Amino acid sequence: MAIIGKDISQAKKLLSGGELVAIPTETVYGLAANALDPTAVTQIFAVKDRPTFDPLIVHVATIEQAQKFAASFPEKAMKLANHFWPGPLTLVLPKQAIIPDIVTSGLSTVGIRCPNHDLTRKLLADLPFPLAAPSANPFGYVSPTTAAHVNSQLGHKIKYILDGGPCRIGLESTIVGFENENAIIYRRGGISEEEISKIIGKVSYRLASSNPVAPGQLDSHYAPNKKFYLGDIDELKKEFIGKNVGILRFMNNSDSSVDHQLILSKSGNLEEAARNLFSSLRQLDQKIDIEIILAEPVPDSGIGKAINDRLRRAATN
Ligand code: AMP
Ligand code: MG
């Protein structure tokens, strides 16, 4: 199994030698490699069993570093970086030739993000190269939000997990690209559409099916192994009478003491719900006496839209 620790110099040593290290961020744990080393990056795809058509996000310490890897930085992108970095926002920008094709799946653009986590920021500031890092889980499964989550699935394939505690946001970054000066959200995430439009005005959202440039938007993703149904829980319960169901609710309700039921946020707080989402899905997926999982959508505003997006994709398994 991997060693789990807080030793930045150990992480630095392994990454500098072309090896993979799992790193904490405020969104989810990442599986990192030197983004400028195609051989190291190739291992990410192998360990995750991720198709090479799904591009990786490049993590940097500062805006200045991001500017070295982007061939241009539109004004709106710079406004967003200034406002939200370090933070859960990925900018898709035209790439410099120094970023290997394997990182971007051959696209002419690169997704760049400056993560907001002390340990990983120190690590990035210490490294002479940026880190390519997708979420540290087998492709298509629920993203990890603790070092233990990473260890349970990928621990036998990597040497070191940098332990930064549970992730503060718990959902992946929001991905924003720019086409003809228009800002487009390719993936909903830790920063809401409302927050983004406060900074740059109008922003649109591009549905997965019409967006072949972002295959991470595949319909079935973030999915547990068990069958997962999304809808009105009381209706679903009637449909599955006789089955051992696990239930994922948004907030407290009258029968909140039911067996195998998890509540995302007792007080109905969407940020707390986001933080608990992936670990709750894992918990229900791992309980052996649960056959299927039933969940309800959360209120569709702010980060709630990103939560509902994950729930919908989990339900297409
Ligand atoms: P993750 O596996 O959570 O790290 O997500 C990476 C996702 O970022 C990919 O699946 C894509 O959806 C998106 N992405 C990364 N680079 C690009 C790019 N150059 N253009 C569009 N989307 C990108
Ligand atoms: Mg992922």
Side-chain angles (χ1 to χ4, degrees):
M1 280 315 222
I3 292 170
I4 302 180
K6 296 183 187 300
D7 187 352
I8 292 178
S9 58
Q10 177 66 9
K12 184 181 174 184
K13 200 169 118 192
L14 289 165
L15 290 163
S16 302
E19 301 209 50
L20 306 186
V21 171
I23 57 166
T25 80
E26 79 281 32
T27 60
V28 301
Y29 274 72
L31 182 63
N34 175 355
L36 307 182
D37 176 350
T39 314
V41 171
T42 301
Q43 288 180 61
I44 293 180
F45 289 94
V47 164
K48 274 187 63 99
D49 206 6
R50 179 179 176 112
T52 51
F53 63 72
D54 194 3
L56 306 178
I57 293 169
V58 172
H59 295 73
V60 296
T62 59
I63 294 184
E64 291 67 39
Q65 206 187 2
Q67 284 176 299
K68 286 203 297 192
F69 303 116
S72 67
F73 223 111
E75 198 186 326
K76 283 181 183 167
M78 191 50 82
K79 276 192 184 162
L80 291 176
N82 274 320
H83 197 268
F84 292 112
W85 282 1
L89 175 76
T90 296
L91 297 171
V92 174
L93 303 170
K95 84 175 188 79
Q96 289 282 10
I98 188 174
I99 301 289
D101 284 340
I102 177 92
V103 171
T104 62
S105 305
L107 295 172
S108 60
T109 52
V110 58
I112 307 184
R113 173 169 111 83
C114 181
N116 189 7
H117 189 290
D118 283 352
L119 271 187
T120 292
R121 293 194 74 198
K122 279 190 195 131
L123 174 64
L124 283 167
D126 232 21
L127 290 171
F129 48 78
L131 292 175
S135 52
N137 52 279
F139 182 70
Y141 195 69
V142 181
S143 300
T145 54
T146 66
H149 292 165
V150 180
N151 201 34
S152 71
Q153 290 187 299
L154 301 184
H156 58 296
K157 294 182 174 175
I158 58 176
K159 288 190 182 146
Y160 199 72
I161 301 171
L162 196 58
D163 186 358
C167 300
R168 207 165 30 78
I169 307 273
L171 285 186
E172 294 80 358
S173 59
T174 301
I175 300 179
V176 179
F178 304 88
E179 293 172 26
N180 308 319
E181 321 241 310
N182 299 317
I184 297 162
I185 295 179
Y186 294 142
R187 175 176 74 188
R188 294 193 161 116
I191 291 176
S192 69
E193 193 172 324
E194 293 92 322
E195 290 172 280
I196 289 172
S197 49
K198 265 189 209 146
I199 307 304
I200 53 164
K202 190 177 173 308
V203 53
S204 45
Y205 173 67
R206 176 85 58 80
L207 281 175
S209 54
S210 58
N211 185 18
V213 296
Q217 298 269 298
L218 295 174
D219 282 353
S220 172
H221 216 80
Y222 315 107
N225 293 321
K226 288 178 185 154
K227 276 279 177 203
F228 180 95
Y229 298 89
L230 183 65
D232 179 275
I233 296 212
D234 295 325
E235 292 298 316
L236 288 170
K237 268 171 63 187
K238 281 184 218 151
E239 208 177 305
F240 293 106
I241 283 175
K243 286 254 186 208
N244 288 325
V245 297
I247 295 172
L248 186 60
R249 276 197 196 272
F250 172 49
M251 59 191 287
N252 254 1
N253 87 327
S254 48
D255 65 304
S256 16
S257 60
V258 169
D259 267 1
H260 300 325
Q261 175 166 273
L262 296 178
I263 311 281
L264 288 174
S265 168
K266 285 191 175 145
S267 64
N269 176 295
L270 285 169
E271 277 71 29
E272 185 183 29
R275 204 154 45 238
N276 289 330
L277 176 68
F278 288 147
S279 57
S280 305
L281 282 176
R282 274 175 191 257
Q283 240 177 294
L284 295 171
D285 206 24
Q286 277 156 20
K287 271 232 184 335
I288 38 172
D289 42 357
I290 292 179
E291 292 169 283
I292 58 172
I293 305 170
L294 312 181
E296 62 186 0
V298 305
D300 204 44
S301 65
I303 200 172
K305 285 191 183 168
I307 298 175
N308 286 334
D309 169 87
R310 303 303 183 275
L311 290 171
R312 270 193 300 272
R313 283 175 214 277
T316 55
N317 67 354

